[in-house]
Amino acid sequence: MLLEVEHWSGAGNRFVIVDNRQKIINKQWDILLITSLCKRKNLPDAEGVLVLLELDKENSNCNYDFYNPDGSTGAMCGNGARCAIRHAVLTDNFDIIHGIKLTLNNRLYTAQIVANDRVALRLPLYKQLQLIDSWTYVDVGSHHVIIDARKLVDSIEEFHQFDLIKFANENLDFYRNKLDNPSLNLNIAYPIRDQCTIQLRTYENGVYNETQACGTGAISTAIAFWTRNIIRNTIIQLIPISQRVLTVHLDTDKQEHILGMILEGDAQQDAPSSQFDTESMQYQ
């Protein structure tokens, strides 16, 4: 059986999207299927799979599931969510004036299309925030450790040359044990002196590699640096290694408590659709 697969990216974070409204796949999306879908032909590996379950054009509602390349599911994916929103709009010509509701892995979010290819996704308040020594843990639906890269390197040039994969492989177990959490993402972030820009690199759980961008990593980093008084603007630009900028808007009260967050960035189909054979588990 052949599946039509679309190739998308949000701020450089790469995804494949499968429309399963007709229940073409009516069994469990198993690890082999998810892993094989991410191993693309003539394209870099995808960093996640989005499965379209339902569209409700009349109410501008859409429902998707998200899977990491290792087959795990349940975690929030900020850039994947934004790609799902724009995919829904283009697939069923949604009315975008009054906003769009997204159910992702059974959790409800709201979003706006703010430009041709830019999506602003509103998230609820983080679930947990811990300042531990010189690093920070934030749970925004996925779990993130944030390290101020100035503790590791002396310049922005060294930041870009830093071996993040080696660092993650050598140190993630320490953070996992400290937090009693095996599902951690690791971010190193370098603030720029203008007080509103952060260079960001992320090693993602479920991908087990550095990714081109991470939406929940951007949100978590903005929260961490705001809480530690490293950044004082509530509109924060985060530059991932893809160089496709993500903007985090922090909603705060008069006491400077964070009330909510918006993640804004591009979401676009960046390669033609292709066919995937579910018997051979390969792209055609």
Side-chain angles (χ1 to χ4, degrees), residues 29-38 70-71 276 278-279 281:
W29 287 72
D30 59 33
I31 294 173
L32 177 59
L33 177 57
I34 295 299
T35 301
S36 301
L37 280 165
C38 289
D70 67 350
F276 179 85
T278 59
E279 292 189 12
M281 289 293 178

Side-chain angles (χ1 to χ4, degrees), residues 11 140 201:
V140 291
R201 296 176 60 188

Side-chain angles (χ1 to χ4, degrees), residues 147-154 158 162 164 167 175 188:
I147 300 170
D148 186 337
R150 295 173 299 177
K151 306 290 184 182
L152 304 172
V153 299
D154 294 324
E158 288 185 14
F162 184 77
L164 178 58
F167 181 82
Y175 299 109
I188 60 170

Side-chain angles (χ1 to χ4, degrees), residues 16-128:
V16 294
I17 302 181
V18 178
D19 184 345
N20 199 40
R21 286 176 292 171
Q22 303 303 317
K23 295 183 171 54
I24 300 168
I25 302 293
N26 55 16
K27 60 183 175 102
Q28 180 73 22
W29 287 72
D30 59 33
I31 294 173
L32 177 59
L33 177 57
I34 295 299
T35 301
S36 301
L37 280 165
C38 289
K39 295 289 185 183
R40 301 188 294 183
K41 184 178 181 180
N42 301 323
L43 288 169
D45 288 353
E47 295 159 342
V49 176
L50 288 156
V51 180
L52 170 57
L53 304 175
E54 185 181 5
L55 290 180
D56 178 0
K57 179 178 179 180
E58 183 177 348
N59 296 299
S60 295
N61 290 347
C62 54
N63 186 1
Y64 290 74
D65 279 342
F66 172 76
Y67 296 86
N68 284 311
D70 67 350
S72 59
T73 189
M76 172 54 177
C77 178
N79 287 329
R82 293 187 308 94
C83 285
I85 290 287
R86 190 153 184 265
H87 177 259
V89 169
L90 295 178
T91 299
D92 219 5
N93 195 27
F94 273 19
D95 177 4
I96 63 174
I97 295 175
H98 302 294
I100 300 154
K101 294 178 183 176
L102 165 70
T103 301
L104 185 71
N105 293 344
N106 297 313
R107 297 185 183 93
L108 182 64
Y109 304 91
T110 59
Q112 298 279 346
I113 304 295
V114 294
N116 286 338
D117 68 348
R118 293 186 71 79
V119 178
L121 176 76
R122 177 171 288 279
L123 289 90
L125 184 63
Y126 52 82
K127 298 178 180 180
Q128 195 173 359

Side-chain angles (χ1 to χ4, degrees), residues 156-164 201:
I156 190 65
E157 290 77 20
E158 288 185 14
F159 170 79
H160 290 300
Q161 296 167 3
F162 184 77
D163 192 338
L164 178 58
R201 296 176 60 188

